[in-house]
Amino acid sequence: MAGVEISQVFASVLAEGRNVLSLDEARKVLEAIGIKFNAYGFARNLEEAIQLSRKIGYPVAMKIVSPDVIHKTEVGGVKLYLQSELDIVHAYEQMLENVKKVMPNARVLGVSVEEMLRGTELVIGVTRDEQFGPMLMFGLGGIWVEIYKDVSFRIIPLERVDAWEMIHEIKGIEIIEGARGFEPVNKKKIVDYIMKVSEFVETHPEIEEMDINPLIGAKGDLYAIDARIILRDVKEQK
C-alpha cells in the first residue's frame, strides 16, 4: 500500500462520515509503513471466533469490533489470555452483553481474535498541538501509561537522535534495558518505529491523533497489538 493508497483509505473513511479508522483499517495502513503486528483475524460470529482461535493457537485475546466503540476496554470489550474453546464461548457472550449494557446503540460488527504475546508494553502516540503542530509521544504503554504517565514528547519531524533521547528520558528505561528479569527490548527497533511514525504523520496531515498501544517488545522484536488513528478533514482546516 503506497502513500497514495493510504491517502485514499483516509479519504474513503472521511467520505463515509467517519473520522476514526477501524482496527482492521489501522492495521493495514500501519503494516504498509513497516509496523509489525501480532497474528490476527476478524470473526463475524462465535463460530468464526472459535475457528480463528484454533488457527492462531491458544492463548488468544479477543476484542469487540465496532465503529462506535473507540475505547474497547472501558466498555468491557476486551478479553485476554483465553485458553480454550470454552473460554472463547464465555468471553464472546460476556463482551456482547457488556457492550449492550454500556452502549446499547453501538453497532457490533464482530470480534478480533489475536495472538497473545508477553513482553514489555510500550506506546507511541501522536497528538496535534495548536501552536506546535503534531507531537510524538513515547513511553511505557498498556495500563502503565495511564498509571505512571512515564512518557516523553518531541515535535514532528524527528531525527534519530531525538528518538534515542526520548527512549532514555523516561523513568522506565531500566525496564526497557532488562532490569528485574524483564527481557531487554531492542532499542534500535524502537528508534526505527518512532521514525516510521514521525515520517508517516509528516506526510499525512489528515492525521489528527494516533497511538500504537500496546507495542510489545518480545523475542528481540516489536509487535503492535492495538492501534487507533483519528483523522481530521484537512480541507476544512484551510
Side-chain angles (χ1 to χ4, degrees):
M1 183 182 288
V4 173
E5 293 173 287
I6 291 174
S7 293
Q8 289 173 345
V9 171
F10 290 168
S12 175
V13 169
L14 291 171
E16 292 175 11
R18 295 186 285 135
N19 68 338
V20 182
L21 272 68
S22 68
L23 176 58
D24 192 48
E25 291 166 336
R27 285 181 70 112
K28 287 177 180 174
V29 166
L30 292 174
E31 283 175 344
I33 66 167
I35 303 294
K36 186 181 292 185
F37 278 79
N38 57 341
Y40 157 93
F42 171 69
R44 292 167 296 182
N45 51 50
L46 176 57
E47 184 178 343
E48 289 185 1
I50 292 171
Q51 290 175 354
L52 267 175
S53 301
R54 290 174 181 159
K55 182 179 178 182
I56 292 172
Y58 294 104
V60 297
M62 196 156 61
K63 301 172 184 174
I64 209 79
V65 176
S66 167
D68 304 313
V69 179
I70 297 176
H71 301 291
K72 295 179 279 293
T73 302
E74 294 176 5
V75 300
V78 177
K79 296 292 179 183
L80 305 177
Y81 294 105
L82 304 176
Q83 304 276 357
S84 66
E85 185 173 319
L86 187 59
D87 284 351
I88 295 294
V89 173
H90 288 163
Y92 186 91
E93 292 174 347
Q94 191 175 5
M95 286 200 305
L96 291 184
E97 188 177 327
N98 291 342
V99 175
K100 191 174 182 180
K101 282 182 182 175
V102 180
M103 297 181 67
N105 296 322
R107 295 163 292 169
V108 177
L109 306 180
V111 297
S112 65
V113 180
E114 305 176 18
E115 173 189 20
M116 283 295 314
L117 290 171
R118 293 180 184 273
T120 300
E121 296 189 354
L122 308 170
V123 59
I124 297 176
V126 174
T127 58
R128 191 169 289 276
D129 181 88
E130 286 188 10
Q131 183 175 359
F132 299 109
M135 300 187 68
L136 190 145
M137 175 190 76
F138 168 78
L140 294 181
I143 59 171
W144 290 348
V145 70
E146 298 168 4
I147 297 174
Y148 298 116
K149 303 186 190 308
D150 186 14
V151 295
S152 57
F153 290 88
R154 287 291 188 283
I155 297 171
I156 291 174
L158 278 74
E159 301 288 339
R160 291 187 70 86
V161 65
D162 298 318
W164 189 258
E165 288 175 356
M166 291 178 77
I167 297 169
H168 291 82
E169 281 175 4
I170 66 169
K171 295 174 184 174
I173 179 60
E174 292 184 2
I175 293 175
I176 291 174
E177 292 179 336
R180 296 183 176 274
F182 282 87
E183 178 188 347
V185 183
N186 187 328
K187 290 190 286 188
K188 182 179 177 300
K189 285 275 185 181
I190 299 175
V191 171
D192 290 342
Y193 272 35
I194 288 175
M195 294 308 298
K196 288 177 190 295
V197 171
S198 173
E199 291 162 10
F200 174 51
V201 174
E202 186 183 9
T203 54
H204 292 283
E206 310 98 309
I207 299 171
E208 178 71 23
E209 294 179 28
M210 66 166 286
D211 59 54
I212 305 171
N213 183 31
L215 175 68
I216 291 189
K219 306 175 186 176
D221 211 333
L222 290 176
Y223 299 87
I225 306 299
D226 203 351
R228 181 177 61 109
I229 298 177
I230 300 177
L231 303 178
R232 60 178 186 156
D233 192 335
V234 179
K235 294 177 184 175
E236 292 183 358
Q237 308 298 320
K238 294 180 179 177

